[in-house]
Amino acid sequence: MRHKLRNTFVLALTAATAGCSSLQSASGTAKTAAVEPAPDAGFIAQPGRQTKRADLPFQKVWIKPGFDKSGYRELVVAPINTQYMMEMDWLHNLSSAAWVSDVKSDIAELGQYFHDQVVKAFKEDPKHRFKIIERAGQHKDPALRLELALIEIDPSMPVLHALSWAGPIGTGSAAGAVNQRRAAFEGRLRDLQTGEVVATFADRDMADVGPLDLTRLTWYGPAKGIMDRWAAQFVQIANRNPGEVVTDPTAFTLRPF
């Protein structure tokens, strides 16, 4: 079925390239201007207390007053929650039940990928800030539990049409096309012994867009690259010194075709 997608995609691509010149003129747009925060999905209990912090790369952050991460040495990365992904509007607009099944299977795989990349990033951290443990009962030192939910991945418009998505080919503004390369998550950090949530955070990010790679024709496109960046940022935040700033990439090359 996915081989058919590639053939259909090429046809859809021809119709979609008409809007590319307008995207090229936006080269270098900063994330803060190009990517709006995702609407609250519900994974975080009190999203209203989150704010944007200049020293952290995520769009929304809350840290419990007085929380000190230095006393924790172990970390559990919980399985990624993907239930909010099932509520994405575009998923329910797919006209093929077979494709809906395929996308749902992909969502589960993406959740596992995100989990594994976060674990890998901490295990390969040269500073070994946290020891990764698999289960709460394994901890010997004060430990934290990182709980993450994927809440959104926007597929490319040509792929949507190749998947028999309801809607005319080539519609949408340049900004809308940019947004097809977004992914978003919400997260909680929990004290493993007390069960108390000590931090929450959320981010919607956009992949750097270069010439289209016809060998990676999947609806989730560059989402894995965004997850890789998030995983690396989690480690950077864990290792940062007081007052140190962890930045987010700001420049984008908007040349999707």
Side-chain angles (χ1 to χ4, degrees), residues 42-65:
F43 186 71
I44 294 172
Q46 295 178 272
R49 63 186 178 182
Q50 296 181 126
T51 60
K52 172 61 182 172
R53 289 182 45 151
D55 58 340
L56 294 174
F58 303 138
Q59 293 168 318
K60 303 176 185 179
V61 178
W62 170 81
I63 299 175
K64 177 188 173 184

Side-chain angles (χ1 to χ4, degrees), residues 209-220:
V209 180
L212 190 68
D213 181 358
L214 293 177
T215 67
R216 298 174 63 232
L217 298 181
T218 55
W219 65 266
Y220 48 85

Side-chain angles (χ1 to χ4, degrees), residues 73-77 115 118-124 128-135 138 144 146 235:
R73 302 304 306 171
E74 297 180 332
L75 180 71
V76 174
V77 181
H115 173 274
V118 174
V119 169
K120 178 182 177 183
F122 276 103
K123 286 186 174 180
E124 294 181 352
H128 303 291
R129 173 63 185 84
F130 284 108
K131 176 184 178 182
I132 293 293
I133 56 177
E134 302 298 326
R135 298 184 305 276
Q138 291 180 322
L144 294 167
L146 179 60
V235 175

